[in-house]
Amino acid sequence: METISITGASFLTTFMPSTRSSTSPVKINCNFTTCPAHDQVTNRTFGSSSEECPEYFKWIHEDLSPWKDTGITLEMVESADKLAYIRIVVVKGRVYLKKFKWVFQTRDVFNIWGILQLLRLYPGELPDLDIMFECGDMPVIKKSDYQGSEAAKIPPMFHYCGSDSTFDITFPDWSFWGWPELQIQPWETLKEELEEGNHKVKWKDRVPYAYWKGNIWTGQVRQDLVKCNVSEKQDSGALIYHVDWLHEEQMRFKHTNLASQCTHRESSIQLQFQSPHSYMHNVRAQEIGKAGSKFIQEELKMKHVYDYMFHLLYRYGKLLKYQPIVPEGAAEMCLESMVCGGRGLEKTYMFDSMVKGPSDSSPCIMPEPFDSTTLQALIERKANLTKQVEKWEAGEN
């Protein structure tokens, strides 16, 4: 445990093992009028990295491919301001925020917090940036709106998710640094609890169903998912639970603790690895479950989250054809302004997810883009699986 001093008080926090350094504990002074300058924003020498990034990093190349030949102009960026919730600008290692509209809960807060931690981890390594960010649930830059001559005007929009029909640039979800409103802890802590929870109930003793739990009213896909629920008329092998978050808040979230959900053979986290046979063949289902758990523990460690952010933002910054400047009406954001202004779990999660200091090694080695044959095979495989699911929905074999 490390002690952080802040205006005379002491807080205990566990720093992420993957970002430890030999620097002294962080001291934060809340008696300031402007964000202080930090020595660590200057370039420094990192140890070389021999670790290759996970394969999913290849999708960074695909997300940025619409601007590969044209680059990104100021006009392109500012054309997204009507859809964006916030604008994040980084100039000489300092972060500025301009807010366009109300953001649900603390999504924007922890979004900014994550970027500040990235800059602490790899100080002086990123170019200046100008980012429009959409903080809602659905991608918004539709490919159908940018055909023909409009294809040269695609606005780059960062978002927590993307889709085949949109150009939104996928960026790590804000909840990697915590979701205080739902008492979901920062990912490094939660990941360890998930691993512990995964060992509490043996595979053979688990409920032999896949399950999903969440608010079914936040998207059509979720409402369609309800049709797959077990009923008197069908045994689909899936249990779908609707969550009323207002009720859960009143119950102090005792039924939605993620680490206590490892009681079924497949969960919402593992469903992305499912095949149609997983419900019919227990051995195969167990293999899929293990693969999902391994992916979470090894491929989604926080170091990889930061490295994904780094490689995405580095390549995005190099595409900018102008020098970013601080926009009118923007406020500077820094460790001090966010921690000193935080309250309750918001402040606690900031301390729990705070990067202690610069990394001792450079980011993982970025993989080459997909070759055209491999990418086409992935697209066709996904299309074939989608068609098969549609046949099942229609009652066909």
Side-chain angles (χ1 to χ4, degrees), residues 273-287:
F273 302 97
Q274 294 292 359
S275 74
H277 300 290
S278 64
Y279 299 106
M280 297 179 285
H281 301 287
N282 185 50
V283 174
R284 177 58 178 152
Q286 186 172 3
E287 291 175 353

Side-chain angles (χ1 to χ4, degrees), residues 231-254:
S231 68
E232 294 180 357
K233 296 182 179 180
Q234 67 175 6
D235 184 0
S236 60
L239 297 171
I240 312 301
Y241 300 101
H242 171 63
V243 175
D244 181 340
W245 287 110
L246 290 177
H247 175 71
E248 288 301 320
E249 183 177 8
Q250 294 170 358
M251 299 297 291
R252 298 182 180 273
F253 304 100
K254 65 180 182 180

Side-chain angles (χ1 to χ4, degrees), residues 188-397:
E188 197 71 15
T189 301
L190 177 58
K191 186 165 70 73
E192 293 179 1
E193 292 185 354
L194 287 172
E195 178 67 6
E196 292 175 4
N198 200 30
H199 293 293
K200 287 183 178 179
V201 181
K202 293 182 179 180
W203 179 267
K204 65 181 181 64
D205 297 326
R206 296 187 182 187
V207 179
Y209 285 84
Y211 87 100
W212 179 90
K213 180 181 287 188
N215 183 353
I216 65 172
W217 302 114
T218 56
Q220 185 59 48
V221 173
R222 295 188 177 196
Q223 293 175 43
D224 291 340
L225 186 62
V226 175
K227 300 174 184 177
C228 300
N229 209 354
V230 168
S231 68
E232 294 180 357
K233 296 182 179 180
Q234 67 175 6
D235 184 0
S236 60
L239 297 171
I240 312 301
Y241 300 101
H242 171 63
V243 175
D244 181 340
W245 287 110
L246 290 177
H247 175 71
E248 288 301 320
E249 183 177 8
Q250 294 170 358
M251 299 297 291
R252 298 182 180 273
F253 304 100
K254 65 180 182 180
H255 299 302
T256 52
N257 182 292
L258 293 176
S260 65
Q261 307 293 309
C262 303
T263 55
H264 296 65
R265 291 185 179 173
E266 289 90 27
S267 70
S268 58
I269 295 176
Q270 296 168 348
L271 283 176
Q272 61 180 304
F273 302 97
Q274 294 292 359
S275 74
H277 300 290
S278 64
Y279 299 106
M280 297 179 285
H281 301 287
N282 185 50
V283 174
R284 177 58 178 152
Q286 186 172 3
E287 291 175 353
I288 291 171
K290 287 182 178 179
S293 296
K294 182 179 180 181
F295 178 85
I296 289 169
Q297 293 299 323
E298 297 181 9
E299 304 289 285
L300 278 183
K301 58 186 179 182
M302 205 62 202
K303 174 66 162 58
H304 285 157
V305 174
Y306 281 123
D307 285 1
Y308 190 96
M309 294 165 63
F310 175 85
H311 285 299
L312 174 62
L313 294 178
Y314 183 85
R315 283 160 176 75
Y316 173 83
K318 293 300 182 181
L319 288 172
L320 296 181
K321 301 182 73 173
Y322 64 98
Q323 173 58 45
I325 60 173
V326 181
E328 183 179 353
E332 184 171 5
M333 309 299 292
C334 57
L335 214 64
E336 289 80 2
S337 65
M338 299 198 74
V339 168
C340 297
R343 296 181 178 180
L345 281 181
E346 182 179 329
K347 177 177 285 188
T348 299
Y349 288 172
M350 285 181 183
F351 277 116
D352 289 347
S353 62
M354 187 185 296
V355 169
K356 185 175 180 180
S359 173
D360 294 326
S361 62
S362 56
C364 60
I365 301 171
M366 183 71 177
E368 293 296 318
F370 291 111
D371 61 71
S372 57
T373 302
T374 301
L375 182 60
Q376 186 59 35
L378 286 171
I379 294 172
E380 290 178 358
R381 180 174 180 272
K382 180 179 179 180
N384 290 336
L385 289 172
T386 301
K387 289 179 181 178
Q388 181 62 62
V389 171
E390 290 172 347
K391 287 183 178 180
W392 291 335
E393 290 177 341
E396 302 175 20
N397 293 325

Side-chain angles (χ1 to χ4, degrees), residues 63-73 75-77 79 141-156 166-167:
D63 278 357
L64 296 178
S65 63
W67 304 277
K68 180 180 178 180
D69 297 327
T70 63
I72 297 172
T73 65
E75 291 73 23
M76 289 178 181
V77 171
S79 68
I141 308 299
K142 299 177 181 178
K143 290 182 178 179
S144 59
D145 292 339
Y146 296 94
Q147 304 296 316
S149 61
E150 296 298 310
K153 304 175 184 178
I154 303 169
T166 59
F167 286 118

Side-chain angles (χ1 to χ4, degrees), residues 1 95 150 158 165 234 300:
M1 303 291 282
V95 180
E150 296 298 310
F158 283 71
S165 61
Q234 67 175 6
L300 278 183

